[in-house]
Amino acid sequence: MQDMHCLRKARQAAIQNGGSILEAMTVPPAATDPELQRELASIHRCDLTLVCSPLELSLLQSLYCIPSHKLCNAPFFTEAHSEPQHEGRRAQFMTVGNWKHPPNRDGVQWLCQNIWPAIRRQLPHAELHIYGAHMSGAAQQYHKPAAGVYVKGFAASLDIMQQYRVCLAPLRYGAGLKGKIMDSWAHGLPVCTTPVGAEGMFPATSQTPEGFPDTQTYRSPGSFLQLWFEAAAHQNLQGQYETWGGLWTADNADAFVQDAVRMYRAEEDWRTWQQRGFELSRNLYNNKARLRIVKVMFR
């Protein structure tokens, strides 16, 4: 299960109805949602479902009462690339995403219309390079060299990430784990994103955090998601996530601009974010370690 479609679509509807990012993150799918019913039925028909997101695995167990033996947390399987390059060899911003995926289209629109002009006012020589499959047609409206925006389209290799300084992942809604963030970390590229982008991509959320409220505490899927987000935010305030592979707390355009500019200008912090991204990539998504866990579940 790459992501819970019903959760992603519930969040999409919340954004389209004028909700904020944080409000959308705590909107659960309705119990009568056919998408939810179809996904739960598919899980019940299977002996084992591989779930990418640890948050969604906990949601399925705690709220929808899926037995734990029918679920296995199986996020990305990857190997980190070479050791980090010096930041002086990197320049410009990039973003990447399949254009057919609605959260990516929405993110590029939000980035180009509400975020990038403010970044350029502070960094007048900065450029934004947009990569992704299926970017012909409507996507070309964002190609504006005079504003520093270049629609590059399909990238034959993600090694292009090694030439950039910051990856922007301005996601307002979505679900599951974000491949663009994992790929960026593996290529030594720090990421500026939102709480939606970072969701589930922390060491403490690879499993239910110690001391997290038990099932009886939850009153609804919405309260579960609210509790999970508050737990992550609290741990961030305590400094547990302050060395994430970038910055992730921006929940509006102004905050995103501030984080993006800070990351681009930083020196020592930039190296810390890059190194932390390598560490997270190795520790959370090590292909050999993750495969051993999946093999155990198949026995």
Side-chain angles (χ1 to χ4, degrees), residues 78-125:
T78 188
E79 292 183 355
H81 289 216
S82 59
E83 283 303 303
Q85 297 178 355
H86 189 273
E87 73 276 10
R89 301 177 185 175
R90 293 171 175 258
Q92 309 306 351
F93 295 91
M94 66 91 69
T95 189
V96 61
N98 189 316
W99 194 249
K100 287 188 175 182
H101 193 48
N104 292 334
R105 293 199 302 272
D106 176 80
V108 168
Q109 179 180 353
W110 189 47
L111 173 60
C112 291
Q113 293 182 356
N114 301 91
I115 295 172
W116 183 250
I119 292 177
R120 279 276 284 193
R121 283 194 290 271
Q122 298 187 55
L123 300 170
H125 300 294

Side-chain angles (χ1 to χ4, degrees), residues 183-200:
D183 288 329
S184 295
W185 287 346
H187 288 82
L189 179 60
V191 179
C192 179
T193 190
T194 65
V196 173
E199 184 178 72

Side-chain angles (χ1 to χ4, degrees), residues 31-45:
T32 56
D33 182 357
E35 196 87 44
L36 170 63
Q37 295 173 358
R38 185 160 51 246
E39 288 184 282
L40 293 179
S42 297
I43 292 171
H44 282 297
R45 285 197 299 268

Side-chain angles (χ1 to χ4, degrees), residues 25 82 98 122-123 149 196 236 241 283 291:
M25 286 188 73
S82 59
N98 189 316
Q122 298 187 55
L123 300 170
V149 181
V196 173
N236 179 66
Y241 298 156
N283 296 337
L291 187 57

Side-chain angles (χ1 to χ4, degrees), residues 99 105 108-109 112-113 130 138-145 149-151:
W99 194 249
R105 293 199 302 272
V108 168
Q109 179 180 353
C112 291
Q113 293 182 356
I130 304 174
Q140 296 303 312
Q141 67 182 296
Y142 299 110
H143 183 77
K144 298 179 179 179
V149 181
Y150 298 83
V151 175

Side-chain angles (χ1 to χ4, degrees), residues 185-223:
W185 287 346
H187 288 82
L189 179 60
V191 179
C192 179
T193 190
T194 65
V196 173
E199 184 178 72
M201 301 189 76
F202 302 106
T205 56
S206 295
Q207 55 187 354
T208 301
E210 183 178 354
F212 202 76
D214 59 25
T215 306
Q216 284 69 35
T217 304
Y218 310 137
R219 297 291 180 265
S220 68
S223 66

